[in-house]
Amino acid sequence: MNKDLIVVKGLTKTYGKKIKTDVLKNVTLNIKEHSLTWLVGASGSGKTTFLNLITGLDEASSGEVYISDKLITQMNEKERAHFRAHHLGFVFQFHYLLPEFNALENVLLPLRIQKKRVGKKEKAAAIKLMETVGLGHVYHHYPKEMSGGEQQRTAIARAIMGKPKLIVADEPTGNLDSASAEQVYALIRKLHQDLETTFIIVTHANIKAEAGDRILTLKDGEIIKDVTF
Ligand SMILES: Nc1ncnc2c1ncn2[C@@H]1O[C@H](COP(=O)(O)OP(=O)(O)O)[C@@H](O)[C@H]1O
Ligand SMILES: [Mg+2]
C-alpha cells in the first residue's frame, strides 16, 4: 500500500466578516502517493477553493494540510511559493502559457524557476516530453500558433517538467471541444501510469472511472461521496 502524500485535517475556508459563509467545511481526508483523484461537484461547491488551499495558493481559515509531511498551512507566502515551484505542478482551465515564448521554452520554465541549468541535455529531455504528449511537431510554435488542445497539452508538459510530487488540474478541459478533452484525459492517464506522480483533477465531465481511480464529490463545501474503484 502506498503511503499518504497529502493529509488534510479539518480544513475550513470562511469568507465574509459580518455574514460568514463557510465555502469549505471541516474537510478531513488523505491522498495516497501515486494516486489519481477526480474532484467533482456542482459549480460553487468549493472545488477550486479546496485545490487552492491544499497547494497554498490561498490561506485556510482553519485546519491543517500536510504534503510529504510538510505543514503547508503554517508556511508563509514565500515558503509556500518556494514549495510550489519545487514540488507542485499546476494546470488550469486557461493554459497560462507565456505568449512571447514558444512551446518548448514554456515547457522549460519550471527548470528556470527552480534555478536549474537549462542546457542541451535539458532541452532534449523537454523535446522528448513534448513528443510523449503528442507535440513533437509543434514544439517551436508559439501559443497562438497552436490549437486549444495543443496549448493545454503544452501546459501539462510544463507541469510535469519540474518533476513535481503532485499535479493539480482545475477543469483542464473546460475550454476544449469534446475530442480535444478526450485527448487531454487520455494523456493524463498515460502520464499517471508512466510517472511517479500523484494527480488531482477537478472536472465537470463524466469520468469513465478506471481501476484505482478515486472520485471525491463536493457539495456545499463538504465531501459527500468518496469512492475508490
Ligand atoms: N474570494 C471570494 N470571496 C467570497 N466568496 C468566494 C470567493 N471565492 C469563492 N467564493 C465562493 O466560494 C464558493 C466555492 O467557490 P469555488 O471553490 O470557486 O467553487 P467551484 O470551483 O466548485 O466552482 C462559491 O460559493 C464562491 O462564490
Ligand atoms: Mg472552480
Side-chain angles (χ1 to χ4, degrees):
M1 206 60 196
N2 286 335
K3 58 179 192 157
D4 290 326
L5 176 70
I6 308 171
V7 176
V8 177
K9 290 182 190 168
L11 193 62
T12 299
K13 180 71 177 180
T14 308
Y15 284 113
K17 289 232 164 81
K18 272 196 174 149
I19 304 168
K20 290 194 160 77
T21 322
D22 290 344
V23 298
L24 208 66
K25 300 171 188 162
N26 199 28
V27 171
T28 295
L29 57 86
N30 298 357
I31 290 181
K32 299 252 175 243
E33 266 182 3
H34 313 327
S35 58
L36 174 57
T37 302
W38 304 93
L39 183 58
V40 302
S43 183
S45 58
K47 304 181 300 293
T48 296
T49 303
F50 178 75
L51 283 193
N52 289 351
L53 293 182
I54 63 169
T55 56
L57 280 172
D58 195 2
E59 284 183 39
S61 304
S62 62
E64 294 172 340
V65 176
Y66 295 84
I67 301 182
S68 298
D69 301 322
K70 295 271 179 337
L71 185 52
I72 306 296
T73 37
Q74 278 297 311
M75 292 180 184
N76 64 33
E77 181 93 48
K78 201 176 158 199
E79 291 165 338
R80 296 201 307 267
H82 185 269
F83 186 85
R84 281 196 300 273
H86 289 266
H87 303 297
L88 307 182
F90 290 86
V91 182
F92 299 97
Q93 184 165 355
F94 184 69
H95 58 74
Y96 293 116
L97 298 173
L98 298 182
E100 67 276 23
F101 284 10
N102 71 22
L104 177 64
E105 291 160 345
N106 268 286
V107 169
L108 285 164
L109 275 176
L111 298 187
R112 299 197 193 277
I113 292 167
Q114 292 173 359
K115 301 196 165 38
K116 288 196 178 133
R117 215 184 95 86
V118 179
K120 261 193 182 149
K121 189 167 137 249
E122 290 74 20
K123 282 185 184 158
I127 291 173
K128 192 156 173 261
L129 174 61
M130 296 206 67
E131 283 164 359
T132 309
V133 305
L135 297 175
H137 58 303
V138 290
Y139 69 81
H140 52 287
H141 284 207
Y142 287 83
K144 67 174 193 299
E145 300 167 338
M146 296 191 288
S147 71
E150 287 169 347
Q151 290 167 346
Q152 209 53 326
R153 281 182 282 141
T154 304
I156 291 171
R158 179 182 57 182
I160 280 164
M161 192 67 201
K163 295 202 182 348
K165 296 184 206 305
L166 170 69
I167 292 183
V168 298
D170 194 352
E171 306 202 30
T173 63
N175 279 320
L176 302 181
D177 61 83
S178 58
S180 305
E182 282 302 319
Q183 281 188 339
V184 164
Y185 285 128
L187 173 63
I188 287 173
R189 284 203 184 278
K190 178 180 159 45
L191 293 170
H192 174 250
Q193 268 174 12
D194 294 352
L195 307 169
E196 301 267 286
T197 306
T198 309
F199 282 80
I200 304 177
I201 300 141
V202 169
T203 180
H204 252 68
N206 279 327
I207 306 139
K208 292 178 207 113
E210 294 183 9
D213 284 14
R214 181 177 184 187
I215 302 185
L216 291 172
T217 309
L218 261 178
K219 189 182 178 197
D220 300 331
E222 291 178 285
I223 303 284
I224 56 157
K225 210 169 158 196
D226 180 353
V227 190
T228 300
F229 288 81

